[in-house]
Amino acid sequence: MADTPLMKQYKEMKSQYSDMVLFFRLGDFYEMFDEDAKEVSALLNLTLTHRGDSPMCGIPYHAAKNYIKRLLDCGKKIAICEQMELSENSKALARREVVRIVTPATVVDEDFLDDKSFNYIICFFQYALAFCDVSTGDFHIRALDPKNKVQAVRSVLQQLSPREILVCEDEYFLDFDFKAAIDSYPAMVTKLAPWYFSQKGCYKILCEQAKVKSLAAYGLKDNDKLVCPAGALIRYITETSKSSVSHLTDYKVDNEDSFVSMDESSRKNLELFANLYDGSSRYTLFDTINRTRTSGGSRLLKNWIAFPLRDLNQIMFRQQWVRFFVETPSELARVREALCGAMDLSRLYTRVLLKRAVPHDLVGIKQTIGSFFNLVSDNTEKYFSLLEKSLDQDALSACAALMQRIDKAINEQCLGQFQEGQVIRSGYNELLDQRRALRDHSDEILKTYLDKVKAESGITILKLGYNRVFGYYLEVPKGQAARVPDYFYRKQTLVNGERFTTDELMQYEKDILQANAQAELLERQLYDEILADVLQIDAYLMAIGHFLNTVDVFQALATLAVDSSYVCPEMTQDDVLEIRDGRHPVVEKQLPPGGFVANGLNMSVRFALITGPNMAGKSTYLRQNALIILLAHVGSFVPASSARIGIVDKIFCRVGATDNLARGESTFLVEMQEAAFILRNCTRQSFVIVDEVGRGTSTQDGMSIAYAMMKSLIEKGSKTLFATHYHELTMLDTSGIRLLTLDVVEEKGSVTFLRKVKEGVANSSYGIHVAKMAGVPASVIKDARSFQTRHFADYTMNQGSLFTAEIGYDDEPAASDSALASALKGINLDECTPMQALIQLAKLKEMAEQDN
């Protein structure tokens, strides 16, 4: 069967947006046809019908947001096709066009956004990337590490958590490692044609977007490869939004040396934003320390955690503001109260710019400007030092005027889309009030007019009527016709009377008939004027939004410090790390007050080898020190009684035992990849924590790898906490190594973990005790003890002989040569591992030196 004109129009539109779900407007519904209909009906549980031979399903246009959100969550893009113009000929098709493309990272509607998270879209090209949040205007450009491109890509994805990823299709399909890294991340991937990344074209796009002739002010040259992903990103966002994105002009070129570097694994293992258990934000660092009052402040705090500073001056600037609020609790309480009314100004403004605003967004802008003035009203000089220079007195006056205008004009009770008659307040515009009065009170107006005419003419028996043919009229009885004034015009003669009109009545009739349309048109015009006023002071509003977000983070960190007894760390360029009574910020929160056992750290010796049984707290101790260092570089106070911390360049965290089946990587392979990355990239300024490296393979191989990694880290000079169950490592040459262990009390067959770090070496791993505590059946525990007694009765003795060379001496003292000979004879070379041979050689050398 041949397609109808409507289906031809649909298919022509669909061919232009073949990779998207096309919402095709038909009356009060968005309809989907053919494959779109089959797919969407299955995803959204909609009834599938047919139009001719084509499968069809639809959704009401007024409820589209709910369905769009569900489709975005399913990883779909949506092209919204509207009826732009209805034909005068009822048989002709309406003109339709796609007015908007909705993707996960280009939406700005409040219903589609997480108010506590940035909604980033990221674009990769060769060794550079650009990323932005369309809803806030935050735009960044960055170079990738050419030596570790794939690892850098994974780290950036973990750091930014983008909703959408743009790649060059040639690079994506030809670079298999890059493709694997992109595909492993759970975000929508859009493959762009190579011409999107044209050097010349991208430079031109960026200049036109920023309305400049050169990008020199941004530190970019016309041959700089950084412009390619940035220009492609701007082009893509413009094409999808199909409207102005003029707020995307503040290009920030990030310098990696400005931030503490962390790889993908370290960010995951430190559980900054998602826990390792279920991937949620519970029990994460961000969730634990977040005391912000606004959604913009919450996002900024998350950004600070993701990008810890290395610049000492910037860190100390943040510390000064946090200390100010800590030391002035009354001001802290006042600021927290003032911030309660502040809304997300960056996103509110962006919705106005992209013509997605609703009337209540203007109310939010008014409230936020009011919160700003309330906040800075006290201690004005202090807060003005934090304001951008663009916010001079004229700018503040303009913001105040906008706030007052919105307050007078916008009805706060209008919560949804623009609805005629419900947006602009009565009393704001005299002409609008007149039109509304005519529309809503025409009977009263006409009655008043009739009484006026009666009084003027003296005709007491006078009626005012209306019919479709003559409109409004004044009817006079025959007996009163002689008293009709000169300004009456005869319209109709009746048997018992005459019907007249007047100039004033005709004007009333015209006004009444047009009042509704005029009121709607004028209300919309007044509303649009206020929206235009918002756009006129966009830079001021963005500056206020940034100021409020920053103050919110400062007060949040201060509130955290007061509530949780955190202290201000002394940050320095000196190569030092001294933490007294440190605590794990997340674990401490889950325990009753005073339940967490604090432990310090002094890295005057740069390498600490930590032993101790399972469940004694080694992993907690390792992570807490990494998190304390991270918080210090954020500018926060830290959970300790005191701290002196030198600036670090990188934090590495090799803990846990996880595999990645999606990548085809075993637990041990992942462990070795992480270890390799640390060894290749750590420096003397880095802080490294390593937990149980080598346990994913045999004891011999694992211990050998642990020894070699330990030796390499000592040589590199990184500040390292190295936890292990290979107690044999503590019996080697320990010069340049600090030996630490977690204290344990064993009494009457039971074990108590004291969680206290002390100097020394653990006596045992207490694995069977831990198994018993975990609820392993008593019969299994009994068999384990029996097996241990039968096969490892001399395990401790063998360990001692292995590392102290106490091997088979005669009762009689022997000459030194005889002792060395006896020791050599006691070594079974056929069963000796390389690690054991190395240890034996070290001990024999020690014996020879003692004899000498």
Side-chain angles (χ1 to χ4, degrees):
M1 182 182 296
D3 288 333
T4 63
L6 179 70
M7 288 306 298
K8 287 181 179 178
Q9 187 184 50
Y10 168 81
K11 289 182 178 180
E12 181 181 353
M13 199 75 68
K14 175 64 181 176
S15 66
Q16 301 174 41
Y17 302 94
S18 57
D19 61 336
M20 307 176 194
V21 174
L22 181 62
F23 274 26
F24 191 75
R25 183 73 177 268
L26 279 177
D28 290 338
F29 283 80
Y30 288 119
E31 301 289 357
M32 285 139 278
F33 298 96
D34 300 333
E35 294 304 315
D36 278 0
K38 294 178 183 178
E39 185 176 37
V40 171
S41 65
L43 290 173
L44 303 183
N45 195 27
L46 300 176
T47 301
L48 189 66
T49 59
H50 284 78
R51 186 184 184 97
D53 294 334
S54 298
M56 179 181 78
C57 70
I59 59 173
Y61 83 94
H62 58 79
K65 279 189 176 181
N66 295 330
Y67 295 99
I68 290 174
K69 186 177 188 306
R70 290 166 62 186
L71 287 175
L72 290 176
D73 291 341
C74 292
K76 300 297 178 183
K77 294 182 182 179
I78 301 99
I80 298 178
C81 177
E82 294 286 3
Q83 295 175 170
M84 304 304 294
E85 185 180 339
L86 294 175
S87 173
E88 295 181 0
N89 182 354
S90 59
K91 295 183 179 181
L93 286 176
R95 183 174 68 83
R96 293 180 173 85
E97 65 180 62
V98 172
V99 298
R100 183 179 165 205
I101 296 171
V102 184
T103 71
T106 59
V107 291
V108 295
D109 305 79
E110 187 177 10
D111 297 338
F112 302 148
L113 297 171
D114 177 2
D115 58 357
K116 292 184 178 180
S117 300
F118 281 101
N119 197 51
Y120 281 131
I121 178 171
I122 187 169
C123 181
F124 290 102
F125 183 67
Q126 296 178 355
Y127 296 103
L129 65 95
F131 63 93
C132 81
D133 183 341
V134 179
S135 69
T136 65
D138 195 41
F139 195 104
H140 295 259
I141 310 170
R142 184 193 301 182
L144 285 171
D145 183 357
K147 297 179 181 178
N148 299 288
K149 177 184 175 183
V150 172
Q151 184 61 43
V153 168
R154 294 188 192 279
S155 178
V156 166
L157 294 177
Q158 188 68 29
Q159 183 180 37
L160 299 176
S161 301
R163 293 284 307 280
E164 192 171 351
I165 304 171
L166 308 180
V167 294
C168 173
E169 60 182 6
D170 283 0
E171 184 179 14
Y172 176 79
F173 288 114
L174 295 177
D175 188 335
F176 299 113
D177 291 337
F178 173 70
K179 181 179 184 299
I182 295 296
D183 290 346
S184 67
Y185 191 81
M188 177 181 287
V189 179
T190 299
K191 294 167 277 294
L192 303 177
W195 58 265
Y196 268 85
F197 300 89
S198 160
Q199 179 85 35
K200 185 176 180 180
C202 288
Y203 189 86
K204 181 180 179 183
I205 287 174
L206 293 175
C207 289
E208 291 175 348
Q209 178 71 15
K211 295 181 173 59
V212 295
K213 294 183 177 180
S214 165
L215 299 178
Y218 301 97
L220 296 171
K221 299 179 180 179
D222 56 0
N223 61 348
D224 197 325
K225 291 297 181 183
L226 291 175
V227 305
C228 297
L233 180 56
I234 290 290
R235 182 192 291 272
Y236 176 81
I237 293 171
T238 303
E239 290 176 349
T240 53
S241 65
K242 292 188 176 294
S243 62
S244 170
V245 287
S246 58
H247 63 308
L248 300 179
T249 57
D250 187 15
Y251 315 134
K252 301 181 182 71
V253 181
D254 292 340
N255 181 356
E256 280 300 286
D257 292 338
S258 301
F259 307 109
V260 177
S261 174
M262 286 183 286
D263 63 304
E264 174 195 22
S265 171
S266 298
R267 292 179 184 278
K268 283 183 179 179
N269 290 326
L270 290 176
E271 298 180 296
L272 303 181
F273 307 115
N275 67 57
L276 294 172
Y277 174 66
D278 61 7
S280 72
S281 63
R282 296 183 307 160
Y283 315 125
T284 62
L285 178 67
F286 172 72
D287 182 61
T288 299
I289 72 171
N290 186 15
R291 302 288 194 280
T292 55
R293 304 288 277 178
T294 67
S295 55
S298 183
R299 287 197 308 275
L300 184 60
L301 174 60
K302 185 174 285 189
N303 182 267
W304 284 12
I305 295 172
F307 295 87
L309 297 173
R310 287 174 59 184
D311 187 285
L312 182 60
N313 292 329
Q314 293 184 50
I315 294 172
M316 294 182 69
F317 174 78
R318 291 180 180 179
Q319 285 184 347
Q320 289 168 3
W321 272 95
V322 177
R323 185 184 293 109
F324 165 70
F325 285 120
V326 169
E327 294 176 351
T328 54
S330 59
E331 181 64 7
L332 176 60
R334 189 189 73 82
V335 168
R336 285 181 65 80
E337 181 66 26
L339 287 169
C340 285
M343 307 286 283
D344 200 337
L345 199 54
S346 299
R347 286 182 170 173
L348 290 173
Y349 163 73
T350 300
R351 286 201 286 275
V352 173
L353 175 69
L354 298 180
K355 297 180 173 53
R356 305 273 192 273
V358 297
H360 205 69
D361 289 338
L362 290 176
V363 176
I365 291 174
K366 177 199 74 173
Q367 288 181 196
T368 307
I369 296 174
S371 295
F372 165 74
F373 283 117
N374 288 338
L375 194 153
V376 300
S377 60
D378 291 356
N379 211 340
T380 304
E381 185 176 346
K382 174 74 174 177
Y383 290 113
F384 269 47
S385 67
L386 193 62
L387 284 170
E388 296 181 11
K389 293 181 180 179
S390 60
L391 283 173
D392 55 17
Q393 192 58 48
D394 290 341
L396 296 176
S397 298
C399 292
L402 176 65
M403 177 182 69
Q404 293 168 359
R405 184 174 185 183
I406 294 174
D407 185 57
K408 291 179 181 178
I410 303 298
N411 174 21
E412 294 185 1
Q413 304 305 314
C414 184
L415 301 179
Q417 297 289 328
F418 183 94
Q419 294 178 302
E420 288 80 2
Q422 298 185 27
V423 178
I424 302 297
R425 292 178 186 268
S426 298
Y428 174 69
N429 181 274
E430 184 178 356
L431 183 58
L432 177 62
D433 290 344
Q434 292 175 358
R435 294 294 178 264
R436 286 176 171 175
L438 281 172
R439 179 194 65 193
D440 301 332
H441 308 290
S442 58
D443 291 345
E444 297 176 12
I445 292 172
L446 291 173
K447 182 178 181 303
T448 301
Y449 172 70
L450 180 62
D451 292 341
K452 171 188 169 185
V453 172
K454 284 181 179 180
E456 289 178 350
S457 64
I459 304 174
T460 56
I461 307 175
L462 187 65
K463 296 180 181 180
L464 193 150
Y466 174 83
N467 66 38
R468 291 186 176 181
V469 177
F470 295 104
Y472 286 102
Y473 56 83
L474 294 167
E475 184 173 323
V476 180
K478 285 284 188 182
Q480 300 286 327
R483 305 177 64 180
V484 171
D486 294 340
Y487 59 85
F488 274 36
Y489 304 115
R490 181 178 282 103
K491 296 188 71 173
Q492 185 181 16
T493 300
L494 303 176
V495 175
N496 297 320
E498 300 281 344
R499 288 177 175 175
F500 298 88
T501 187
T502 68
D503 291 336
E504 192 172 358
L505 181 59
M506 286 189 291
Q507 186 63 46
Y508 276 130
E509 178 179 0
K510 180 180 178 182
D511 290 345
I512 289 171
L513 293 175
Q514 295 179 353
N516 189 53
Q518 288 177 342
E520 290 180 3
L521 185 64
L522 182 56
E523 184 177 23
R524 188 76 204 198
Q525 180 182 336
L526 294 171
Y527 177 69
D528 289 341
E529 288 175 359
I530 298 174
L531 293 178
D533 287 348
V534 172
L535 298 180
Q536 287 295 318
I537 60 170
D538 57 339
Y540 307 153
L541 295 179
M542 298 298 279
I544 289 175
H546 180 68
F547 168 82
L548 291 174
N549 294 345
T550 305
V551 171
D552 192 17
V553 176
F554 287 148
Q555 72 77 22
L557 294 177
T559 303
L560 171 71
V562 172
D563 292 347
S564 305
S565 300
Y566 285 15
V567 299
C568 183
E570 179 189 345
M571 300 299 293
T572 175
Q573 294 289 5
D574 296 341
D575 190 9
V576 63
L577 179 55
E578 299 171 359
I579 300 171
R580 182 180 177 188
D581 300 323
R583 311 186 303 275
H584 193 297
V586 181
V587 177
E588 180 186 35
K589 186 180 178 183
Q590 310 310 317
L591 298 175
F596 188 90
V597 179
N599 285 293
L601 174 65
N602 186 328
M603 297 223 69
S604 54
V605 177
R606 306 183 71 82
F607 189 97
L609 184 60
I610 307 171
T611 56
N614 293 303
M615 292 183 61
K618 295 192 304 298
S619 294
T620 298
Y621 179 65
L622 265 60
R623 284 187 174 97
Q624 86 178 31
N625 287 295
L627 292 176
I628 287 172
I629 292 171
L630 173 64
L631 284 173
H633 285 75
V634 166
S636 170
F637 284 25
V638 299
S641 60
S642 67
R644 187 163 181 260
I645 300 173
I647 299 294
V648 304
D649 62 351
K650 301 170 185 175
I651 296 176
F652 295 99
C653 178
R654 169 41 254 158
V655 300
T658 57
D659 54 20
N660 194 318
L661 299 180
R663 297 184 196 169
E665 298 168 347
S666 68
T667 299
F668 184 63
L669 178 57
V670 171
E671 185 179 340
M672 290 300 98
Q673 288 174 338
E674 294 174 0
F677 185 79
I678 293 173
L679 294 174
R680 291 180 180 276
N681 293 278
C682 68
T683 71
R684 186 173 176 82
Q685 267 193 296
S686 303
F687 180 74
V688 181
I689 60 174
V690 179
D691 191 15
E692 305 300 343
V693 71
R695 65 182 173 181
T697 185
S698 69
T699 301
Q700 294 177 353
D701 286 348
M703 185 162 59
S704 301
I705 291 169
Y707 167 77
M709 185 174 182
M710 182 176 75
K711 182 180 177 183
S712 178
L713 288 169
I714 293 172
E715 290 174 353
K716 287 180 176 291
S718 302
K719 296 186 185 71
T720 304
L721 300 182
F722 198 98
T724 184
H725 278 297
Y726 297 133
H727 296 172
E728 296 89 341
L729 297 178
T730 65
M731 300 175 188
L732 295 172
D733 178 10
T734 57
S735 57
I737 297 177
R738 187 181 181 195
L739 298 178
L740 300 175
T741 186
L742 275 296
D743 204 2
V744 177
V745 172
E746 184 177 4
E747 191 175 27
K748 297 180 181 179
S750 65
V751 173
T752 302
F753 301 122
L754 301 181
R755 317 288 183 190
K756 196 67 180 175
V757 176
K758 67 176 186 177
E759 302 282 347
V761 180
N763 295 323
S764 169
S765 291
Y766 298 100
I768 294 178
H769 290 278
V770 174
K772 182 179 179 181
M773 293 170 61
V776 174
S779 59
V780 176
I781 297 297
K782 183 178 179 181
D783 287 345
R785 292 192 188 280
S786 175
F787 184 87
Q788 185 185 57
T789 301
R790 291 197 311 271
H791 295 279
F792 300 105
D794 59 343
Y795 180 69
T796 303
M797 181 188 70
N798 287 341
Q799 279 191 358
S801 64
L802 181 64
F803 290 97
T804 60
E806 296 173 354
I807 303 174
Y809 299 121
D810 295 331
D811 292 338
E812 296 292 332
S816 60
D817 289 346
S818 299
L820 286 170
S822 298
L824 285 169
K825 289 176 182 178
I827 300 174
N828 187 338
L829 295 178
D830 293 332
E831 297 180 0
C832 189
T833 67
M835 180 65 181
Q836 290 170 336
L838 180 62
I839 294 168
Q840 291 282 19
L841 181 60
K843 293 303 175 182
L844 290 171
K845 183 175 183 294
E846 182 181 346
M847 288 175 60
E849 290 174 348
Q850 287 175 353
D851 290 336
N852 290 335

